[in-house]
């Protein structure tokens, strides 16, 4: 049955008539302007503060946010303020509210099935005996959520305590807020089957049992004073494992069930990051009182779809007209005209952000170090709230009521188009002259022979199952303090250079002591794996306060890619900037030191990228700058060069029809960056944070000699996909989940390596952590690496290599 043939009844009249606000946002940065929540969380986890201090910090941050949003023009008592303040992750908060405790954490629940705060942090961070929930990317963003684990017997019990407390606290201070939950369909579609589930089990099968729990939560929130509740359904804009013709009836059933709940609040359903497509029909006709559409990444409703929003009993069309995912000022004139068309088409239109604003920093006005011209082109969260308010006023009162704001926005766009550096003829000429022959290397087998004939160590070839790390070592308080003093001008260049060289030597000596086979320099000179490159490439700018949450308490400061890209310095090729540090590390040891670079796709994914040209063109410019750096590392004698692409899947379009074009240019950009070296130079790459099954072909297409990949938290799931795809080059599936503070035991690492050897020939297997060690402490790092090296040696002892034959593994494992 196709969705075109499916007929859904007309909208059910709203249960409790109440106006939806004319202007709203779907979420706001929640970590704090000065990362107050991050600091409170980490103090609590470290035992430096108690739970009361954490709860107080979180409550103060919520109230400060409400006050700020009202200052910016949103209403204090019209439900325009979203109460979206998870302490760790919004999916984890919904998991706790639903009582959906995974079976392996069942002992943490109280007799009523509830998880307290500390128990929820175990799900997020693990404990001595358990790995935490898996982390993976949140659609096409740089945020990562905790994946629920659902089985046939997973309990569902409504636990609205924290949500109710947020509503009542806000009311006590004069704010009527809108609680936020992940919607039932997205919750189950984003979940994975738990370890006890039978083969073929789909969490979506539990939808009928889950809906009564949502109904109870809705009634509890209404009783607490919530007029509206926001249910987020972003999974409905992405192609899922369930065909859309099968999913549409589930959407209809879910929301007609919820809208039939007596005594509920009104329902506001959001669909960010793209368009719901055929699923718009069952959503809009289900009786929900307001429905959000992302009009930035998704298409505006067609005239036929607009009919769903016509009439007093239909849903309010909440138009996501302001980009919540990037930092450029909106074309207010063009957006207002489009909103006017929707309103003239008969829809009741409210104005909103396209996504939650937690994807962008707080306030561009604080970035006084940015060039004023560049700053005039930007809109962070506070400015985007202002844009939403402006559009709502213009829609209600006419264009002349916001003429000044429209003119200012138009002038910003005009100056941006003609500013120096936005387009560089030399950079564009080099990119335009590329030939297909420049993107690619010799066949993998030819390179393997050249690399096996090369002595990467003083004693000859690398051993079987070589051990290494991903790149960074812990950034100690001393390293961060030295960097801050240098930036402030209190530490002279020469002394800072000396400090970094001493730190590099300390890290090299530690790795030698631990017995690692391939070393890294530890990256003490790098504040961030993207920002460091942005600081050495023309066309980028960096911020001071532009923090954005990545996961939990982890934050990044995305750089702003505003112009054409090349290395800084004289001439088109500019100057090498990683060679001095990596070359110094290599001079200290006879063991090979990897050169460490961030790949072009990750630099784009973890930056705010210009929106005035195709991403593929920008990627090629970045790739050419990196190609120059790779060539300089090779010339300096570095024989192993790692170009990290942890974000390869983050930019993957949500619709399958659009994915191949992205994979084509992203793979080509990586190969452009790495294909200028000799066959004997070994190119590594690294990927993490992702469900890799969808991009196995692209991973193979990168054509790296060795790929290290996140695998510990998902317990080597990715290897099945790689084996099925015939992946045959070097592979380093992570055996230590560095996103949790727990130290894996030697036995645990051995078990993961044995599992890996069921899928990977021993001659191609590398041993490494999941990711870089920047966020870990030295005590846990040393202990974990000791276990990693010891486990690799134990498994290596089972590997024999008869003369002239490939490596084989005893005890029946593959070779």
């Amino acid at each position: 049955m196709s969705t075109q043939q499916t007929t859904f009844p007309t909208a059910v009249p709203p249960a409790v008539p109440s106006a939806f606000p004319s202007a709203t946002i779907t979420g706001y940065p929640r970590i704090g302007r000065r990362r107050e929540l991050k600091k409170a969380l980490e103090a609590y986890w470290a035992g430096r503060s108690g739970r009361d201090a954490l709860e107080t910090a979180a409550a103060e941050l919520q109230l400060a946010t409400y006050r700020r949003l009202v200052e910016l023009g949103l209403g204090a008592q019209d439900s325009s303020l979203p109460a979206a303040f998870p302490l760790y992750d919004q999916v984890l908060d919904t998991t706790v509210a639903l009582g959906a405790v995974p079976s392996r954490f069942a002992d943490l629940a109280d007799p009523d099935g509830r998880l307290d705060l500390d128990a929820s942090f175990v799900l997020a961070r693990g404990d001595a005996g358990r790995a935490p929930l898996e982390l993976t990317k949140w659609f096409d963003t740089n945020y990562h959520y905790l994946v629920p684990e659902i089985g046939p017997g997973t309990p569902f019990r409504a636990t609205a305590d924290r949500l109710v407390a947020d509503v009542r606290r806000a009311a006590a201070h004069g704010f009527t807020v809108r609680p936020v939950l992940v919607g039932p369909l997205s919750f189950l579609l984003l979940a994975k089957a738990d370890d006890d589930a039978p083969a073929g089990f789909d969490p979506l099968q539990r939808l009928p049992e889950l809906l009564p729990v949502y109904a109870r939560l809705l009634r509890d929130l209404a009783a607490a004073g919530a007029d509206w509740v926001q249910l987020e359904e972003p999974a409905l804009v992405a192609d899922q494992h369930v065909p859309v013709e099968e999913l549409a009836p589930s959407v209809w059933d879910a929301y007609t069930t919820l809208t039939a709940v007596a005594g509920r609040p009104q329902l506001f359903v959001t669909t960010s990051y793209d368009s719901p497509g055929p699923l718009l029909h069952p959503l809009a006709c289900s009786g929900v009182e307001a429905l959000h559409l992302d009009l930035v990444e998704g298409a505006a409703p067609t005239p036929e779809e607009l009919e769903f929003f016509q009439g007093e009993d239909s849903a309010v069309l909440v138009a996501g007209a302001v980009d919540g995912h990037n930092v450029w000022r909106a074309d207010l004139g063009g957006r207002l005209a489009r909103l006017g068309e929707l309103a003239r088409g008969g829809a009741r239109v409210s104005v909103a952000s396209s996504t939650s604003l937690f994807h962008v920093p707080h306030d561009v006005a604080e970035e006084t170090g940015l060039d004023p011209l560049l700053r005039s082109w930007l809109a962070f969260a506070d400015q985007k709230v202002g844009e939403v308010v402006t559009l709502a006023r213009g829609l209600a009162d006419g264009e002349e009521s916001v003429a000044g704001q429209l003119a200012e926005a138009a002038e910003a766009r005009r100056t941006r188009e003609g500013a120096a550096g936005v387009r560089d003829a030399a950079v564009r000429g080099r990119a335009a002259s590329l030939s297909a022959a420049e993107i690619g290397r010799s066949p993998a087998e030819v390179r393997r022979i050249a690399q096996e004939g090369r002595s990467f160590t003083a004693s000859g070839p690398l051993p079987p199952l070589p051990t290494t790390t991903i790149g960074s070592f812990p950034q100690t308080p001393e390293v961060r303090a030295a960097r801050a003093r240098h930036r402030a001008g209190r530490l002279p260049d020469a002394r800072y250079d000396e400090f970094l060289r001493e730190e590099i030597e300390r890290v090299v000596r530690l790795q030698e002591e631990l017995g690692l086979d391939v070393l890294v320099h530890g990256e003490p000179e790098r504040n961030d794996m993207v920002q460091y490159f942005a600081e050495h490439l023309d066309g980028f700018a960096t911020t001071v306060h532009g923090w954005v949450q990545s996961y939990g308490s982890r934050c990044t400061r995305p750089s702003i890619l505003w112009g054409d890209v090349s290395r800084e310095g004289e001439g088109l090729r500019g100057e090498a900037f990683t060679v001095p540090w990596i070359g110094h590390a290599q001079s200290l040891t006879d063991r090979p030191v990897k050169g460490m670079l961030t790949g072009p796709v990750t630099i784009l994914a973890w930056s705010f990228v210009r929106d005035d040209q195709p991403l593929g063109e920008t990627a090629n410019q970045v790739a050419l700058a990196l190609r120059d750096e790779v060539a300089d590392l090779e010339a300096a004698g570095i024989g192993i060069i790692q170009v990290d692409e942890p974000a390869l899947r983050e930019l993957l379009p949500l619709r399958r029809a659009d994915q191949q074009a992205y994979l084509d240019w992203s793979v080509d950009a990586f190969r452009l960056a790495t294909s200028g070296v000799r066959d004997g130079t070994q190119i590594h790459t690294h990927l993490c944070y992702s469900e890799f099954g969808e991009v196995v072909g692209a991973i193979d297409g990168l054509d790296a000699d060795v790929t290290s990949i996140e695998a510990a938290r998902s317990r080597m799931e990715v290897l099945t996909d790689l084996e099925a795809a015939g992946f045959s080059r070097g592979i380093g599936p992570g055996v230590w989940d560095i996103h949790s503070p727990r130290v894996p035991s030697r036995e645990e690492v051995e078990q993961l390596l044995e599992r890996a050897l069921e899928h990977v020939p021993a001659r191609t297997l590398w041993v490494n952590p999941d990711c870089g060690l920047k966020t870990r402490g030295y005590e846990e790092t040393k202990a974990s690496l000791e276990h990693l090296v010891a486990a690799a040696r134990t498994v290596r002892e089972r590997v024999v290599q008869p003369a002239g034959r490939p490596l084989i593994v005893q005890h029946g494992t593959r070779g």
Side-chain angles (χ1 to χ4, degrees), residues 682-740:
Q682 194 172 77
I683 293 294
H684 289 220
T685 191
H686 169 66
L687 301 96
C688 65
Y689 282 143
S690 295
E691 298 289 344
F692 296 108
E694 297 178 4
V695 294
V696 164
I699 296 172
D700 194 37
L702 297 176
D703 198 27
D705 299 303
V706 178
T707 299
S708 56
I709 196 164
E710 180 274 323
R713 191 174 282 209
S714 59
R715 299 184 284 284
M716 298 288 165
E717 286 179 359
V718 66
L719 296 183
T720 302
D721 293 322
L722 289 174
E723 183 181 31
F727 189 89
S728 60
R729 289 179 292 283
I731 185 72
V735 294
W736 165 27
D737 171 23
I738 68 89
H739 302 105
S740 167

Side-chain angles (χ1 to χ4, degrees), residues 596-637:
M596 301 300 306
L597 305 176
T598 303
V601 176
T602 298
I603 288 177
L604 264 60
W606 294 356
S607 300
F608 294 121
V609 180
R610 61 190 301 174
D611 59 355
D612 59 344
Q613 66 182 24
L615 276 176
E617 293 181 16
T618 306
N620 280 346
Q621 292 181 4
V622 176
L624 284 170
L626 294 173
R627 184 183 179 98
D628 295 336
E629 195 72 20
V630 168
D632 287 340
L633 283 167
E634 183 183 59

Side-chain angles (χ1 to χ4, degrees), residues 89 239 326 425 461 576 663 755:
D89 168 56
D239 286 338
N326 210 332
L663 293 172
R755 186 174 298 177

Side-chain angles (χ1 to χ4, degrees), residues 120-139:
S120 73
F121 286 149
V122 175
L123 270 64
R125 308 176 75 233
D127 59 18
R130 284 175 289 208
L133 296 177
E134 185 179 340
L135 270 176
T136 197
K137 72 160 198 151
W138 180 253
F139 301 92

Side-chain angles (χ1 to χ4, degrees), residues 416-437:
R416 181 182 169 197
E417 289 172 0
V422 172
R423 289 173 174 78
D424 183 303
V427 171
R428 290 175 175 259
R430 182 185 184 190
S433 66
L434 287 172
S435 66

Side-chain angles (χ1 to χ4, degrees), residues 652-676:
L652 186 72
L654 302 179
R655 298 296 186 185
R656 294 187 186 95
D658 303 323
Q659 291 174 359
Q660 191 56 53
Y662 159 75
L663 293 172
D664 288 345
W665 68 251
S666 61
V667 167
D668 282 353
F670 179 89
R671 296 179 67 167
L672 175 60
T674 57
S675 60

Side-chain angles (χ1 to χ4, degrees), residues 127-128 736 740-745 748 779-781 783-785 787:
D127 59 18
W736 165 27
S740 167
R742 64 186 297 270
V743 174
S745 68
E748 182 180 337
E779 182 177 352
E780 61 193 285
T781 293
S784 298
L785 289 178
H787 294 172

Side-chain angles (χ1 to χ4, degrees), residues 321-383:
V322 171
D323 190 353
H325 198 189
N326 210 332
V327 295
W328 305 102
R329 288 183 72 156
D331 173 11
L332 290 181
R335 303 285 168 84
L336 184 57
R338 188 68 188 98
L339 292 169
E341 291 175 8
L342 295 174
R344 288 190 294 275
R348 292 179 296 150
V349 180
S350 289
V351 184
S353 55
S354 66
T355 70
S356 170
L357 301 182
F358 83 85
H359 297 303
V360 297
H362 275 84
D363 188 359
V364 75
E366 295 188 333
E367 300 300 332
T368 55
L370 288 178
D371 179 273
L373 185 60
L374 172 60
R375 198 165 66 238
S376 73
W377 306 338
L378 303 175
F380 290 179
D382 284 5
Q383 288 70 43

